[in-house]
Amino acid sequence: MMHLLKSRAEMAIRQFETAEERAKAFSKKYKGRIKDIAEKIPEFLECIREYEELAKSFQRLYAFPALKFSADTRDKDAHDWQNQVQEKISMAENYL
């Protein structure tokens, strides 16, 4: 069972890094431009869709640690993992 958790953790790290890079790219692309693109419906719609995809990716990353902790709220390791993931997600969301 531990090898599955390790591989899941490694996969989650890679997924987080990808999501964080996407958040940085989103910020670079749209920061300070929302007012301008709000009048251009297709571009504004693209911005909203990209934001939604980023939000979904962060939710997926948080889901597994949250479920693991929910299964046993006395599990300190699960609680710590959930907090670490939430902290990393919050830091990445700061780019948005």
PDB file of all heavy atoms in Angstrom, residues 26 29-30 33-34 36-53:
ATOM      1  N   PHE A  26      -1.001  32.082 -16.764  1.00  0.00           N
ATOM      2  CA  PHE A  26      -2.278  32.786 -16.768  1.00  0.00           C
ATOM      3  C   PHE A  26      -2.081  34.215 -16.271  1.00  0.00           C
ATOM      4  O   PHE A  26      -2.571  35.174 -16.872  1.00  0.00           O
ATOM      5  CB  PHE A  26      -3.289  32.050 -15.880  1.00  0.00           C
ATOM      6  CG  PHE A  26      -4.629  32.720 -15.795  1.00  0.00           C
ATOM      7  CD1 PHE A  26      -5.619  32.428 -16.711  1.00  0.00           C
ATOM      8  CD2 PHE A  26      -4.909  33.635 -14.789  1.00  0.00           C
ATOM      9  CE1 PHE A  26      -6.865  33.042 -16.636  1.00  0.00           C
ATOM     10  CE2 PHE A  26      -6.139  34.248 -14.703  1.00  0.00           C
ATOM     11  CZ  PHE A  26      -7.122  33.950 -15.633  1.00  0.00           C
ATOM     12  N   LYS A  29      -0.305  36.332 -18.791  1.00  0.00           N
ATOM     13  CA  LYS A  29      -1.154  36.608 -19.952  1.00  0.00           C
ATOM     14  C   LYS A  29      -2.241  37.649 -19.664  1.00  0.00           C
ATOM     15  O   LYS A  29      -2.537  38.485 -20.514  1.00  0.00           O
ATOM     16  CB  LYS A  29      -1.790  35.296 -20.421  1.00  0.00           C
ATOM     17  CG  LYS A  29      -2.621  35.396 -21.671  1.00  0.00           C
ATOM     18  CD  LYS A  29      -3.113  34.012 -22.089  1.00  0.00           C
ATOM     19  CE  LYS A  29      -3.941  34.053 -23.339  1.00  0.00           C
ATOM     20  NZ  LYS A  29      -4.384  32.694 -23.742  1.00  0.00           N
ATOM     21  N   TYR A  30      -2.833  37.587 -18.455  1.00  0.00           N
ATOM     22  CA  TYR A  30      -4.021  38.402 -18.195  1.00  0.00           C
ATOM     23  C   TYR A  30      -3.862  39.508 -17.155  1.00  0.00           C
ATOM     24  O   TYR A  30      -4.725  40.384 -17.062  1.00  0.00           O
ATOM     25  CB  TYR A  30      -5.193  37.501 -17.775  1.00  0.00           C
ATOM     26  CG  TYR A  30      -5.667  36.607 -18.882  1.00  0.00           C
ATOM     27  CD1 TYR A  30      -5.482  35.232 -18.822  1.00  0.00           C
ATOM     28  CD2 TYR A  30      -6.287  37.124 -20.011  1.00  0.00           C
ATOM     29  CE1 TYR A  30      -5.917  34.401 -19.832  1.00  0.00           C
ATOM     30  CE2 TYR A  30      -6.713  36.306 -21.033  1.00  0.00           C
ATOM     31  CZ  TYR A  30      -6.535  34.942 -20.940  1.00  0.00           C
ATOM     32  OH  TYR A  30      -6.968  34.126 -21.957  1.00  0.00           O
ATOM     33  N   ARG A  33      -5.028  43.183 -17.668  1.00  0.00           N
ATOM     34  CA  ARG A  33      -5.711  43.248 -18.961  1.00  0.00           C
ATOM     35  C   ARG A  33      -7.204  42.967 -18.879  1.00  0.00           C
ATOM     36  O   ARG A  33      -7.901  43.068 -19.885  1.00  0.00           O
ATOM     37  CB  ARG A  33      -5.093  42.225 -19.920  1.00  0.00           C
ATOM     38  CG  ARG A  33      -3.661  42.512 -20.279  1.00  0.00           C
ATOM     39  CD  ARG A  33      -3.162  41.619 -21.396  1.00  0.00           C
ATOM     40  NE  ARG A  33      -4.042  41.749 -22.562  1.00  0.00           N
ATOM     41  CZ  ARG A  33      -4.545  40.701 -23.217  1.00  0.00           C
ATOM     42  NH1 ARG A  33      -4.269  39.472 -22.856  1.00  0.00           N
ATOM     43  NH2 ARG A  33      -5.332  40.883 -24.262  1.00  0.00           N
ATOM     44  N   ILE A  34      -7.694  42.623 -17.706  1.00  0.00           N
ATOM     45  CA  ILE A  34      -9.101  42.211 -17.590  1.00  0.00           C
ATOM     46  C   ILE A  34     -10.046  43.309 -18.079  1.00  0.00           C
ATOM     47  O   ILE A  34     -10.999  43.038 -18.807  1.00  0.00           O
ATOM     48  CB  ILE A  34      -9.440  41.784 -16.139  1.00  0.00           C
ATOM     49  CG1 ILE A  34      -8.580  40.588 -15.720  1.00  0.00           C
ATOM     50  CG2 ILE A  34     -10.922  41.487 -15.980  1.00  0.00           C
ATOM     51  CD1 ILE A  34      -8.778  39.345 -16.554  1.00  0.00           C
ATOM     52  N   ASP A  36      -9.517  45.549 -20.287  1.00  0.00           N
ATOM     53  CA  ASP A  36      -9.444  45.633 -21.754  1.00  0.00           C
ATOM     54  C   ASP A  36     -10.163  44.476 -22.436  1.00  0.00           C
ATOM     55  O   ASP A  36     -10.863  44.685 -23.425  1.00  0.00           O
ATOM     56  CB  ASP A  36      -7.981  45.654 -22.216  1.00  0.00           C
ATOM     57  CG  ASP A  36      -7.240  46.878 -21.716  1.00  0.00           C
ATOM     58  OD1 ASP A  36      -7.875  47.928 -21.499  1.00  0.00           O
ATOM     59  OD2 ASP A  36      -6.009  46.766 -21.535  1.00  0.00           O
ATOM     60  N   ILE A  37      -9.955  43.264 -21.917  1.00  0.00           N
ATOM     61  CA  ILE A  37     -10.557  42.118 -22.607  1.00  0.00           C
ATOM     62  C   ILE A  37     -12.027  41.916 -22.248  1.00  0.00           C
ATOM     63  O   ILE A  37     -12.725  41.170 -22.929  1.00  0.00           O
ATOM     64  CB  ILE A  37      -9.770  40.811 -22.371  1.00  0.00           C
ATOM     65  CG1 ILE A  37      -9.824  40.385 -20.915  1.00  0.00           C
ATOM     66  CG2 ILE A  37      -8.359  40.924 -22.880  1.00  0.00           C
ATOM     67  CD1 ILE A  37      -9.283  38.995 -20.683  1.00  0.00           C
ATOM     68  N   ALA A  38     -12.507  42.589 -21.200  1.00  0.00           N
ATOM     69  CA  ALA A  38     -13.918  42.442 -20.808  1.00  0.00           C
ATOM     70  C   ALA A  38     -14.845  42.867 -21.940  1.00  0.00           C
ATOM     71  O   ALA A  38     -15.969  42.377 -22.044  1.00  0.00           O
ATOM     72  CB  ALA A  38     -14.208  43.249 -19.546  1.00  0.00           C
ATOM     73  N   GLU A  39     -14.376  43.744 -22.784  1.00  0.00           N
ATOM     74  CA  GLU A  39     -15.190  44.210 -23.908  1.00  0.00           C
ATOM     75  C   GLU A  39     -15.063  43.311 -25.128  1.00  0.00           C
ATOM     76  O   GLU A  39     -15.806  43.461 -26.090  1.00  0.00           O
ATOM     77  CB  GLU A  39     -14.792  45.645 -24.255  1.00  0.00           C
ATOM     78  CG  GLU A  39     -15.053  46.604 -23.104  1.00  0.00           C
ATOM     79  CD  GLU A  39     -14.477  47.982 -23.349  1.00  0.00           C
ATOM     80  OE1 GLU A  39     -13.905  48.216 -24.430  1.00  0.00           O
ATOM     81  OE2 GLU A  39     -14.601  48.828 -22.450  1.00  0.00           O
ATOM     82  N   LYS A  40     -14.112  42.397 -25.100  1.00  0.00           N
ATOM     83  CA  LYS A  40     -13.891  41.465 -26.218  1.00  0.00           C
ATOM     84  C   LYS A  40     -14.376  40.090 -25.766  1.00  0.00           C
ATOM     85  O   LYS A  40     -13.627  39.335 -25.158  1.00  0.00           O
ATOM     86  CB  LYS A  40     -12.416  41.431 -26.584  1.00  0.00           C
ATOM     87  CG  LYS A  40     -11.860  42.781 -26.964  1.00  0.00           C
ATOM     88  CD  LYS A  40     -10.358  42.726 -27.093  1.00  0.00           C
ATOM     89  CE  LYS A  40      -9.811  44.127 -27.305  1.00  0.00           C
ATOM     90  NZ  LYS A  40      -8.371  44.180 -27.088  1.00  0.00           N
ATOM     91  N   ILE A  41     -15.612  39.798 -26.041  1.00  0.00           N
ATOM     92  CA  ILE A  41     -16.277  38.611 -25.520  1.00  0.00           C
ATOM     93  C   ILE A  41     -15.493  37.318 -25.766  1.00  0.00           C
ATOM     94  O   ILE A  41     -15.292  36.547 -24.822  1.00  0.00           O
ATOM     95  CB  ILE A  41     -17.722  38.494 -26.067  1.00  0.00           C
ATOM     96  CG1 ILE A  41     -18.541  39.733 -25.693  1.00  0.00           C
ATOM     97  CG2 ILE A  41     -18.397  37.224 -25.563  1.00  0.00           C
ATOM     98  CD1 ILE A  41     -18.635  40.008 -24.215  1.00  0.00           C
ATOM     99  N   PRO A  42     -15.016  37.030 -26.969  1.00  0.00           N
ATOM    100  CA  PRO A  42     -14.287  35.759 -27.159  1.00  0.00           C
ATOM    101  C   PRO A  42     -13.025  35.660 -26.279  1.00  0.00           C
ATOM    102  O   PRO A  42     -12.755  34.611 -25.702  1.00  0.00           O
ATOM    103  CB  PRO A  42     -13.911  35.770 -28.646  1.00  0.00           C
ATOM    104  CG  PRO A  42     -14.901  36.681 -29.283  1.00  0.00           C
ATOM    105  CD  PRO A  42     -15.196  37.726 -28.247  1.00  0.00           C
ATOM    106  N   GLU A  43     -12.283  36.743 -26.176  1.00  0.00           N
ATOM    107  CA  GLU A  43     -11.065  36.725 -25.359  1.00  0.00           C
ATOM    108  C   GLU A  43     -11.416  36.627 -23.871  1.00  0.00           C
ATOM    109  O   GLU A  43     -10.751  35.929 -23.105  1.00  0.00           O
ATOM    110  CB  GLU A  43     -10.226  37.968 -25.632  1.00  0.00           C
ATOM    111  CG  GLU A  43      -8.829  37.861 -25.101  1.00  0.00           C
ATOM    112  CD  GLU A  43      -7.929  39.005 -25.545  1.00  0.00           C
ATOM    113  OE1 GLU A  43      -8.322  39.809 -26.417  1.00  0.00           O
ATOM    114  OE2 GLU A  43      -6.823  39.079 -25.006  1.00  0.00           O
ATOM    115  N   PHE A  44     -12.470  37.321 -23.463  1.00  0.00           N
ATOM    116  CA  PHE A  44     -12.911  37.266 -22.069  1.00  0.00           C
ATOM    117  C   PHE A  44     -13.381  35.848 -21.718  1.00  0.00           C
ATOM    118  O   PHE A  44     -13.066  35.320 -20.655  1.00  0.00           O
ATOM    119  CB  PHE A  44     -14.022  38.280 -21.824  1.00  0.00           C
ATOM    120  CG  PHE A  44     -14.421  38.398 -20.386  1.00  0.00           C
ATOM    121  CD1 PHE A  44     -13.541  38.924 -19.452  1.00  0.00           C
ATOM    122  CD2 PHE A  44     -15.673  37.984 -19.964  1.00  0.00           C
ATOM    123  CE1 PHE A  44     -13.906  39.033 -18.114  1.00  0.00           C
ATOM    124  CE2 PHE A  44     -16.035  38.088 -18.634  1.00  0.00           C
ATOM    125  CZ  PHE A  44     -15.155  38.617 -17.712  1.00  0.00           C
ATOM    126  N   LEU A  45     -14.111  35.226 -22.630  1.00  0.00           N
ATOM    127  CA  LEU A  45     -14.586  33.859 -22.432  1.00  0.00           C
ATOM    128  C   LEU A  45     -13.400  32.892 -22.310  1.00  0.00           C
ATOM    129  O   LEU A  45     -13.404  32.006 -21.455  1.00  0.00           O
ATOM    130  CB  LEU A  45     -15.502  33.445 -23.579  1.00  0.00           C
ATOM    131  CG  LEU A  45     -16.156  32.083 -23.483  1.00  0.00           C
ATOM    132  CD1 LEU A  45     -16.994  31.952 -22.220  1.00  0.00           C
ATOM    133  CD2 LEU A  45     -17.019  31.835 -24.713  1.00  0.00           C
ATOM    134  N   GLU A  46     -12.379  33.083 -23.128  1.00  0.00           N
ATOM    135  CA  GLU A  46     -11.173  32.258 -23.044  1.00  0.00           C
ATOM    136  C   GLU A  46     -10.512  32.421 -21.676  1.00  0.00           C
ATOM    137  O   GLU A  46     -10.079  31.439 -21.059  1.00  0.00           O
ATOM    138  CB  GLU A  46     -10.188  32.654 -24.141  1.00  0.00           C
ATOM    139  CG  GLU A  46      -8.895  31.881 -24.094  1.00  0.00           C
ATOM    140  CD  GLU A  46      -7.878  32.361 -25.115  1.00  0.00           C
ATOM    141  OE1 GLU A  46      -8.236  33.094 -26.055  1.00  0.00           O
ATOM    142  OE2 GLU A  46      -6.706  32.000 -24.953  1.00  0.00           O
ATOM    143  N   CYS A  47     -10.446  33.644 -21.185  1.00  0.00           N
ATOM    144  CA  CYS A  47      -9.870  33.911 -19.867  1.00  0.00           C
ATOM    145  C   CYS A  47     -10.648  33.179 -18.771  1.00  0.00           C
ATOM    146  O   CYS A  47     -10.050  32.525 -17.908  1.00  0.00           O
ATOM    147  CB  CYS A  47      -9.874  35.418 -19.609  1.00  0.00           C
ATOM    148  SG  CYS A  47      -9.315  35.909 -17.965  1.00  0.00           S
ATOM    149  N   ILE A  48     -11.948  33.264 -18.825  1.00  0.00           N
ATOM    150  CA  ILE A  48     -12.802  32.599 -17.827  1.00  0.00           C
ATOM    151  C   ILE A  48     -12.623  31.088 -17.894  1.00  0.00           C
ATOM    152  O   ILE A  48     -12.504  30.414 -16.863  1.00  0.00           O
ATOM    153  CB  ILE A  48     -14.286  32.977 -18.025  1.00  0.00           C
ATOM    154  CG1 ILE A  48     -14.496  34.472 -17.808  1.00  0.00           C
ATOM    155  CG2 ILE A  48     -15.195  32.156 -17.122  1.00  0.00           C
ATOM    156  CD1 ILE A  48     -14.149  34.967 -16.415  1.00  0.00           C
ATOM    157  N   ARG A  49     -12.572  30.537 -19.088  1.00  0.00           N
ATOM    158  CA  ARG A  49     -12.391  29.091 -19.237  1.00  0.00           C
ATOM    159  C   ARG A  49     -11.033  28.641 -18.696  1.00  0.00           C
ATOM    160  O   ARG A  49     -10.935  27.607 -18.035  1.00  0.00           O
ATOM    161  CB  ARG A  49     -12.550  28.678 -20.696  1.00  0.00           C
ATOM    162  CG  ARG A  49     -13.996  28.700 -21.144  1.00  0.00           C
ATOM    163  CD  ARG A  49     -14.144  28.180 -22.544  1.00  0.00           C
ATOM    164  NE  ARG A  49     -15.553  28.152 -22.895  1.00  0.00           N
ATOM    165  CZ  ARG A  49     -16.024  28.416 -24.098  1.00  0.00           C
ATOM    166  NH1 ARG A  49     -15.190  28.697 -25.085  1.00  0.00           N
ATOM    167  NH2 ARG A  49     -17.310  28.385 -24.338  1.00  0.00           N
ATOM    168  N   GLU A  50      -9.991  29.404 -18.981  1.00  0.00           N
ATOM    169  CA  GLU A  50      -8.670  29.061 -18.459  1.00  0.00           C
ATOM    170  C   GLU A  50      -8.675  29.102 -16.925  1.00  0.00           C
ATOM    171  O   GLU A  50      -8.105  28.229 -16.276  1.00  0.00           O
ATOM    172  CB  GLU A  50      -7.600  30.025 -18.990  1.00  0.00           C
ATOM    173  CG  GLU A  50      -7.221  29.771 -20.423  1.00  0.00           C
ATOM    174  CD  GLU A  50      -6.124  30.706 -20.895  1.00  0.00           C
ATOM    175  OE1 GLU A  50      -5.168  30.958 -20.134  1.00  0.00           O
ATOM    176  OE2 GLU A  50      -6.232  31.191 -22.038  1.00  0.00           O
ATOM    177  N   TYR A  51      -9.334  30.120 -16.373  1.00  0.00           N
ATOM    178  CA  TYR A  51      -9.415  30.233 -14.916  1.00  0.00           C
ATOM    179  C   TYR A  51     -10.162  29.040 -14.322  1.00  0.00           C
ATOM    180  O   TYR A  51      -9.738  28.476 -13.313  1.00  0.00           O
ATOM    181  CB  TYR A  51     -10.104  31.546 -14.530  1.00  0.00           C
ATOM    182  CG  TYR A  51     -10.191  31.730 -13.043  1.00  0.00           C
ATOM    183  CD1 TYR A  51      -9.121  32.275 -12.342  1.00  0.00           C
ATOM    184  CD2 TYR A  51     -11.323  31.343 -12.336  1.00  0.00           C
ATOM    185  CE1 TYR A  51      -9.177  32.434 -10.968  1.00  0.00           C
ATOM    186  CE2 TYR A  51     -11.381  31.488 -10.966  1.00  0.00           C
ATOM    187  CZ  TYR A  51     -10.314  32.038 -10.290  1.00  0.00           C
ATOM    188  OH  TYR A  51     -10.374  32.184  -8.924  1.00  0.00           O
ATOM    189  N   GLU A  52     -11.267  28.667 -14.948  1.00  0.00           N
ATOM    190  CA  GLU A  52     -12.038  27.520 -14.464  1.00  0.00           C
ATOM    191  C   GLU A  52     -11.201  26.245 -14.484  1.00  0.00           C
ATOM    192  O   GLU A  52     -11.260  25.444 -13.548  1.00  0.00           O
ATOM    193  CB  GLU A  52     -13.298  27.320 -15.312  1.00  0.00           C
ATOM    194  CG  GLU A  52     -14.377  28.338 -15.049  1.00  0.00           C
ATOM    195  CD  GLU A  52     -15.585  28.170 -15.963  1.00  0.00           C
ATOM    196  OE1 GLU A  52     -15.452  27.518 -17.038  1.00  0.00           O
ATOM    197  OE2 GLU A  52     -16.651  28.684 -15.618  1.00  0.00           O
ATOM    198  N   GLU A  53     -10.432  26.035 -15.540  1.00  0.00           N
ATOM    199  CA  GLU A  53      -9.588  24.843 -15.636  1.00  0.00           C
ATOM    200  C   GLU A  53      -8.518  24.842 -14.544  1.00  0.00           C
ATOM    201  O   GLU A  53      -8.220  23.803 -13.962  1.00  0.00           O
ATOM    202  CB  GLU A  53      -8.949  24.741 -17.021  1.00  0.00           C
ATOM    203  CG  GLU A  53      -9.909  24.297 -18.096  1.00  0.00           C
ATOM    204  CD  GLU A  53     -10.546  22.948 -17.788  1.00  0.00           C
ATOM    205  OE1 GLU A  53      -9.837  22.003 -17.398  1.00  0.00           O
ATOM    206  OE2 GLU A  53     -11.779  22.839 -17.923  1.00  0.00           O
TER     207      GLU A  53
END
